[in-house]
Amino acid sequence: MTADDIGASAEPLTAIFRRLIGTYGPLSLLHYMGESNARYYADKDPLGTAGDFITAPEISQMFGELVGLWLADVWMRAGSPVPVHYVELGPGRGTLARDALRTMKRVGLDPQVHFVESSRALKALQAQAVPQAQWHDDLGTVPTDAPLLVVGNEFLDALPVRQLVRTAKGWRERMVDWAEDRFRPVAGEKPMDAAVPGVLADAEEGTLLETCPGAAAVMQELSGRLAAQGGAALLIDYGYAEPQTGSTLQALRAHTKVDPFTAPGEADLTCLVDFAVLAEIAVKEGATWQGTVTQGAFLRALGIDLRAAKLAAAAPHHADTIQRAKDRLISDEQMGSLFKVMGVSGPQWPQGAGF
C-alpha cells in the first residue's frame, strides 16, 4: 500500500496499521512515519495559531526578506544570470516565497518560480500567495536549463527516518508493533550490523542511530543539479551540525508535543536533521558546502537587527510585536540555536553572506 493509497482512504490510519501488523508483523519506523505524514499533510493546512505549529516565515516578514536578500546577493555576484529559477521545497503557505520574491525584485531579480509540494490544501494557499508558481512532485521535473536558487525551510525534518538500535544480540532496526492496545517501538529480528559505521559496531546496548534516506536522496539530487547548472541553496531546519546518536522523533499537535505512537496521521512527525551527513553528500556530488551555522547567527549576519529597527521606526505602534518576532527567530532560548542554516552552491558560485 502506497502513501497515496492511504492518503486517499477514509479509514483511520490506526486501523490500517493494525491490520498490516497483524498480517505481516511489525512495521519499520520508516514506513510508520512516512505513511503518517503522507496522511497528515494530504488535505490540511497545519500552520499558524489555529494549526499544529508555526514556521519562521509566519512569525515575521523579516525572515523571508533576508532569505531573498541572500539569494539576490549571490546571484548578483555570480554575474546576474538570466534566466534563473527560484525553487522552494515544501513552501508552506507561500509566505516565505512571497516575501523573498518581493525583496529580490527590488534589485532586478525576477526568477521563474517552482514549488515542490504534495499537499492539495497547501497548493491552494500557495497559489493565492504566489500565483505565478509552477508545481512539482519532486526536483526531477524542475527545469535543467538555468541556475537554481533553492530554499528548503522545515522541509527535511518531516521526511521519514530509519532507526537502528543496539541490542544484546547486535544491531537491529527499530520497528513499530501493536501491543496492549497501542503502538509501541520494538527491536526487529533481522541483523543490521552491516549498516552501522564501524566506530559504533560495539556501542553499548541501547545506543540508537538515526538516518534519513529521503533527506540524503534530496541532498544528492540537489547537489548534483547545483554542480551541473550553477546556483545556490539554503536549507533551514532544526537539527545538528555534528554527528550524534539517540532518537529525535517527536510529534506536534496544537502546538504541543504528543506521543508519536498515538493517532498516526493526526500529528506532525519530525526528526532533527543531520546536517553533517548532508554536507558530506553535497561535496561528494560536486557542489560547494558553504557552511552550517545557527539561524540566529545567520540572521544577525544578514542584518535582522537593522531591519527590525527600520520596521519599528516605520510602525511604532507595532514595535513590541516586531521585537518579539525578532527575538523568537534569533534568541538561543527559542529558534536561534536549535535551527541551523546550511549553504550549498555550484562550484563556480560565490560564497554567501553569513557563512
Side-chain angles (χ1 to χ4, degrees), residues 5 9 21-22 24 30 49 54 65 79 96 138 142-144 149 158 161 183 200-201 227 254 286 313 330 354:
D5 295 330
S9 171
I21 291 169
Y24 302 106
L30 187 80
T49 55
I54 189 166
E65 289 172 346
L96 190 161
D138 54 51
V142 172
T144 59
L149 300 175
V161 301
F183 293 110
L200 292 174
I330 67 174

Side-chain angles (χ1 to χ4, degrees), residues 182-229:
R182 60 160 293 169
F183 293 110
R184 295 179 182 275
V186 297
E189 295 297 324
K190 183 179 177 181
M192 297 294 291
D193 300 79
V196 175
V199 68
L200 292 174
D202 296 320
E204 65 179 280
E205 189 174 335
T207 301
L208 192 144
L209 180 65
E210 197 170 76
T211 64
C212 185
V218 169
M219 194 72 243
Q220 184 177 30
E221 182 170 9
L222 173 60
S223 299
R225 295 286 293 270
L226 291 173
Q229 294 173 239

Side-chain angles (χ1 to χ4, degrees), residues 328-342:
R328 187 167 180 182
L329 292 173
I330 67 174
S331 168
D332 288 343
E333 290 72 36
Q334 300 192 61
M335 299 176 73
S337 292
L338 179 60
F339 278 73
K340 307 296 189 297
V341 182
M342 186 169 84

Side-chain angles (χ1 to χ4, degrees), residues 154 236-239 293-296 335-341:
E154 292 199 52
I236 308 164
D237 229 311
Y238 75 131
V293 298
T294 65
Q295 178 173 293
M335 299 176 73
S337 292
L338 179 60
F339 278 73
K340 307 296 189 297
V341 182

Side-chain angles (χ1 to χ4, degrees), residues 67-147:
V67 166
L69 180 66
W70 189 92
L71 294 172
D73 175 62
V74 294
W75 172 76
M76 287 188 292
R77 290 191 288 116
S80 304
V82 175
V84 64
H85 301 289
Y86 173 88
V87 182
E88 189 166 344
L89 309 174
R93 292 172 169 172
T95 305
L96 190 161
R98 182 193 63 205
D99 294 337
L101 290 166
R102 183 181 66 248
T103 302
M104 289 186 244
K105 197 165 187 176
R106 292 174 184 160
V107 297
L109 174 53
D110 191 16
Q112 298 178 31
V113 180
H114 303 271
F115 287 163
V116 176
E117 181 60 74
S118 60
S119 167
R120 290 180 289 266
L122 290 175
K123 282 181 181 178
L125 294 172
Q126 292 157 14
Q128 294 175 27
V130 188
Q132 74 270 33
Q134 302 174 49
W135 282 266
H136 306 264
D137 291 330
D138 54 51
L139 281 168
T141 56
V142 172
T144 59
D145 62 340

Side-chain angles (χ1 to χ4, degrees), residues 210-283:
E210 197 170 76
T211 64
C212 185
V218 169
M219 194 72 243
Q220 184 177 30
E221 182 170 9
L222 173 60
S223 299
R225 295 286 293 270
L226 291 173
Q229 294 173 239
L234 289 176
L235 298 174
I236 308 164
D237 229 311
Y238 75 131
Y240 46 95
E242 301 294 336
Q244 67 177 44
T245 58
S247 175
T248 69
L249 177 66
Q250 71 170 24
L252 277 179
R253 189 174 185 181
H255 303 270
T256 302
K257 288 186 179 182
V258 297
D259 183 349
F261 299 106
T262 298
E266 298 179 24
D268 177 44
L269 300 184
T270 62
C271 288
L272 293 179
V273 175
D274 185 344
F275 284 103
V277 165
L278 299 185
E280 291 177 3
I281 294 171
V283 173

Side-chain angles (χ1 to χ4, degrees), residues 11-19 39 178 183 262-266:
E11 185 178 9
L13 201 50
T14 293
I16 295 174
F17 281 165
R18 287 185 63 182
R19 187 166 62 251
R39 171 70 71 90
W178 177 265
F183 293 110
T262 298
E266 298 179 24

